[in-house]
Amino acid sequence: MSFQDKYKEYKERQEAKKYFRSNNDQFLDSTQWSKVIGIGLLTAIAAGVVLGIVIHSLHITSSLFYIICALVVAGTVTKISQIHSSQMAILSVILTVICYVVGEMTMIYLPLHEAGMGMQFISLLDIFTLSVRSLFVGDLFTTVVAIIGLFIAYASAK
């Protein structure tokens, strides 16, 4: 087989793949991916801030709050993309982790803000590392609930 034949066969496979992906609704193009990721990220940040405010104001860490946030993020991802697949499930899990970290960051920042310290004494990177450590190493109940929420986000987006 000559180089010309191999190149022609490669070109035909690429055209067939492009045709398949354009006519199959399970694949998104780059503009759709950016739309899903952008809106999903905004939803995850907003849900995380609401989660942090609710837990801080009620002084109750409930598994229901984490599960609702996971369902909101996964529902937004699947609603925007209109696809239930393993790719959307993985994206919803990543965005749910971001939601939980933002919630923990909010719960760390609110007492500092109420005490009048704000961001003078602690940087955003320190708050981020404290929130990740608090989420996965701090309280066993919160860690278990967060992992259950990630499984729920995966299952609802798949």
Side-chain angles (χ1 to χ4, degrees):
M1 194 178 243
S2 71
F3 179 74
Q4 292 282 350
D5 294 335
K6 288 182 182 180
Y7 181 72
K8 185 178 178 183
E9 183 179 317
Y10 170 76
K11 193 90 160 159
E12 288 174 359
R13 279 191 310 229
Q14 292 301 319
E15 288 176 10
K17 187 190 299 184
K18 185 177 178 183
Y19 176 78
F20 174 75
R21 288 190 173 185
S22 67
N23 292 323
N24 192 347
D25 62 346
Q26 293 295 315
F27 293 98
L28 300 175
D29 61 355
S30 60
T31 58
Q32 291 172 327
W33 269 111
S34 62
K35 181 180 172 183
V36 169
I37 291 172
I39 293 174
L41 187 62
L42 288 175
T43 303
I45 291 171
V49 169
V50 169
L51 175 71
I53 290 171
V54 167
I55 289 176
H56 176 74
S57 62
L58 294 179
H59 301 292
I60 297 172
T61 303
S62 175
S63 61
L64 184 63
F65 300 148
Y66 287 92
I67 291 171
I68 288 173
C69 283
L71 289 174
V72 165
V73 170
T76 301
V77 167
T78 56
K79 182 89 169 174
I80 298 299
S81 68
Q82 299 175 349
I83 296 174
H84 288 274
S85 67
S86 60
Q87 294 172 339
M88 292 301 124
I90 291 169
L91 179 64
S92 69
V93 167
I94 292 169
L95 292 174
T96 304
V97 168
I98 291 171
C99 172
Y100 292 162
V101 169
V102 168
E104 290 289 324
M105 288 175 71
T106 305
M107 286 187 286
I108 290 171
Y109 177 73
L110 284 177
L112 293 174
H113 180 69
E114 289 173 356
M117 291 194 293
M119 296 295 287
Q120 303 96 292
F121 299 107
I122 191 166
S123 68
L124 193 61
L125 182 64
D126 291 335
I127 291 176
F128 176 75
T129 55
L130 282 171
S131 66
V132 170
R133 189 178 309 142
S134 171
L135 183 63
F136 293 112
V137 180
D139 185 19
L140 181 63
F141 176 73
T142 304
T143 305
V144 169
V145 167
I147 291 171
I148 290 171
L150 295 177
F151 281 120
I152 289 174
Y154 184 85
S156 66
K158 188 164 180 159

